[in-house]
Amino acid sequence: MLTAFIRVFRTPDLRKKVLFTIFILAVFRLGQQLPTPGVSQSALTACANLSKSSGVFQLINLFSGDSITRLAVFALGIMPYIIATTIIQLLATVIPRLETLRQEGQTGQAKMTQYSRYLTIGLAILQSTGIIALARSGELLGTTCPKPLIPNPSIFTISTMVVIMTAGTAVIMWLGELVTDRGIGNGMSVMIFTQIIAVVPSQLLDVYRDKGGATFTIVMIMAVALVAFIALMEQAQRRIPIQYAKRMVGRRMYGGTSTYIPLKINQAGVMPVIFASSLLYIPQLVAQLFGTKVDGTLTDTGWSGWVNTNLVFGDKPAYAISYFVLLIFFTYFYVSITFNPTEVADNMKRSGGFIPGIRPGGPTAGYLSHVLSRLTAAGSLYLACIALIPLVAVGLLDANQQFPLGGTSILIMVGVGLDTVKQLESQLQQRNYEGFLR
C-alpha cells in the first residue's frame, strides 16, 4: 500500500487532487475552530469542564467535529445538507414533479440539487436558532453553566450569530462540492470522516486518563475488532446473475454476455444512523426549550422530566429500545426509496436482460424484492448492533457518554475510507498500476 501511495504522488493529476482535498479539509477544520462573534470562550471552557452531555447530543456533536460545543462558525457541520437532501429524495416518491425531475437525468438532478440547497438554508436557520437558544439559556452542554455563554444576548447579536452559522453551512456545501468535483472521494462523506477523526484522539486520551490502562486496552481491542467486522460487512454483497440475450442490429450481433447486480447487505449505508440519532435528539431539544424548569434545570416531573430521564442518556432501556426500533425502520425505509425493483426489472427487460430461471417483468421484480427484503433484514440488524455497541460499553465498562471509536464513528470512517481508496485504486489501474488492493 505504501508503494501505491508513492505512485499517487508521482502522478501529477492525482497529486493535485489529493493536495487540493487536503487544502479544502484544512479550511474546513479552520472554520470549525473559529468562534462565532458574541460567544464567551472562557464561559464555554468552564461549562465544558462541568458538562456530562447526553449520548444523543454527543452523537450530534460528533457529526459536527466537536464544533457545536465551541459555537464555531461551522458549528452546524453538514447535517442540514444531509437531512435536506434526504427529504428531497423522500418527497420525490410522493410528488410527481420531483419524480419527473429525478428521471430527467443530469438536468433534473441539477434542479433537485438546487432545491436541496434552498432547504438546507432553511434547516440551518432553524437549527442555529435552536442551538443559540440553548446557549442563551446556558443549557447547551447539558448542564447549567456558571457563566453566560452569550454575555450580550441582544437581538442584533443573536441575529448576527444565526446569519453567520447559516452562512457557514452554505460555505460547507460549497467546499464539499469542490472536493467532489476537483478532489478525491465524495466531498460530504470525506468531510464527515474528517470531523470524526478530529475528535477521536482527545476521546481516547480521556478514556486513558479517567479509566486507566486496562479499560483503554479493552477499548482498543474492541475498536480493532469492529474495524475488521465492519470492513467485512461493508464489502459483503449478494450478486444476482444477469444474462443478456443475443440481438441482431443491422449486421452486427449484440448481447450474449453475462453480468450481475451487486446488492450489498448494508444497502442503506450510514443514513439510518443519522436519521435515528437526529430524531431522538428532537425530544431532548424540545424538553430543553419548553420543559418545566427549576433554577434553570429540568424537573423530574411531567413529560419533560420523563424525556430527560429516559431519552437523554444512552444507558437507559427506553433510549436503547427506541434507537434500535428507529434504526430498523429507517433502514427499510431508506432502502425502499433508493432501490426500486420494478424499475430495475423494467430496465432489464427493455435491454434484453433476464435472471436465469426467472421470467422478465413482474416475476423478476418480485424476485428482486424478495432478495432485497432478506438482505435488508440482515443489514438492519447489523446496523442496529453496531450503533448500540457504545451503549453496551457505557454499561459494562462504565465509560463516559462520549465513548470513543464507537460503532457509528467506525462505521462512517471505514465506509468512507473504503470508498476513497477504491476511487484512488481505480484511477491508478487506469494508468496500468497495481493499485491498493491485490
Side-chain angles (χ1 to χ4, degrees), residues 410-430:
I410 293 184
L411 181 66
I412 296 174
M413 289 189 293
V414 172
V416 175
L418 287 174
D419 290 340
T420 305
V421 167
K422 286 180 180 178
Q423 287 196 24
L424 285 174
E425 181 185 9
S426 64
Q427 297 194 35
L428 282 175
Q429 289 178 344
Q430 290 177 0

Side-chain angles (χ1 to χ4, degrees), residues 23 57 117 152 160 276 289 365 381 389 402:
F23 171 73
F57 182 82
R117 292 171 180 168
N152 181 27
T160 302
L289 292 175
L381 292 176
I389 282 177
Q402 197 170 356

Side-chain angles (χ1 to χ4, degrees), residues 237-250:
Q237 57 183 225
R238 169 75 181 274
R239 296 182 176 181
I240 307 297
I242 304 296
Q243 184 72 36
Y244 287 93
K246 293 183 179 180
R247 296 181 299 169
M248 181 67 72
V249 180

Side-chain angles (χ1 to χ4, degrees), residues 100-421:
T100 302
L101 287 176
R102 189 168 63 176
Q103 297 177 356
E104 288 181 356
Q106 186 175 0
T107 303
Q109 189 62 39
K111 197 67 176 179
M112 292 186 66
T113 301
Q114 185 179 7
Y115 293 155
S116 298
R117 292 171 180 168
Y118 293 151
L119 183 58
T120 299
I121 298 301
L123 292 176
I125 294 174
L126 292 176
Q127 189 173 349
S128 60
T129 302
I131 291 174
I132 293 173
L134 289 176
R136 182 181 180 183
S137 63
E139 300 172 0
L140 176 66
L141 304 182
T143 183
T144 302
C145 297
K147 300 179 181 179
L149 300 181
I150 304 177
N152 181 27
S154 63
I155 296 179
F156 177 78
T157 301
I158 299 299
S159 301
T160 302
M161 294 177 67
V162 171
V163 170
I164 290 177
M165 286 187 177
T166 304
T169 300
V171 173
I172 290 174
M173 284 193 296
W174 177 58
L175 294 177
E177 292 174 358
L178 285 178
V179 173
T180 302
D181 295 338
R182 301 173 55 185
I184 294 294
N186 180 278
M188 296 302 172
S189 298
V190 172
M191 294 171 87
I192 293 179
F193 178 87
T194 305
Q195 292 174 163
I196 296 175
I197 287 293
V199 301
V200 166
S202 61
Q203 293 179 357
L204 288 173
L205 184 61
D206 289 340
V207 170
Y208 182 78
R209 289 175 176 174
D210 298 340
K211 303 301 177 181
T215 301
F216 178 80
T217 303
I218 295 175
V219 167
M220 294 306 298
I221 292 175
M222 290 177 58
V224 173
L226 273 176
V227 168
F229 177 68
I230 291 175
L232 176 64
M233 294 297 293
E234 290 298 310
Q235 299 282 12
Q237 57 183 225
R238 169 75 181 274
R239 296 182 176 181
I240 307 297
I242 304 296
Q243 184 72 36
Y244 287 93
K246 293 183 179 180
R247 296 181 299 169
M248 181 67 72
V249 180
R251 294 184 178 182
R252 302 187 63 179
M253 182 73 71
Y254 292 91
T257 59
S258 61
T259 183
Y260 60 87
I261 300 176
L263 296 180
K264 296 177 61 177
I265 290 181
N266 182 21
Q267 193 79 8
V270 75
M271 295 307 297
V273 177
I274 297 176
F275 289 148
S277 59
S278 301
L279 194 61
L280 271 180
Y281 180 60
I282 292 176
Q284 178 189 352
L285 180 61
V286 174
Q288 290 285 351
L289 292 175
F290 304 106
T292 304
K293 302 177 184 178
V294 176
D295 296 331
T297 304
L298 286 174
T299 62
D300 295 333
T301 59
W303 67 271
S304 59
W306 187 90
V307 169
N308 190 48
T309 303
N310 296 281
L311 293 182
V312 171
F313 295 101
D315 55 349
K316 300 298 182 182
Y319 173 87
I321 294 174
S322 301
Y323 199 20
F324 184 86
V325 172
L326 286 174
L327 282 172
I328 300 294
F329 169 77
F330 279 118
T331 301
Y332 272 94
F333 185 72
Y334 191 77
V335 170
S336 67
I337 65 172
T338 55
F339 187 89
N340 189 342
T342 302
E343 183 178 348
V344 174
D346 291 340
N347 292 336
M348 289 172 50
K349 186 177 181 180
R350 284 194 293 267
S351 59
F354 63 93
I355 299 175
I358 307 295
R359 296 179 58 187
T364 298
Y367 176 76
L368 291 176
S369 179
H370 175 68
V371 173
L372 186 64
S373 178
R374 296 174 63 183
L375 287 177
T376 304
S380 62
L381 292 176
Y382 151 71
L383 274 182
C385 292
I386 291 297
L388 290 175
I389 282 177
L391 308 185
V392 177
V394 167
L396 297 181
L397 301 179
D398 193 27
N400 57 20
Q401 291 290 337
Q402 197 170 356
F403 187 73
L405 294 179
T408 302
S409 57
I410 293 184
L411 181 66
I412 296 174
M413 289 189 293
V414 172
V416 175
L418 287 174
D419 290 340
T420 305
V421 167

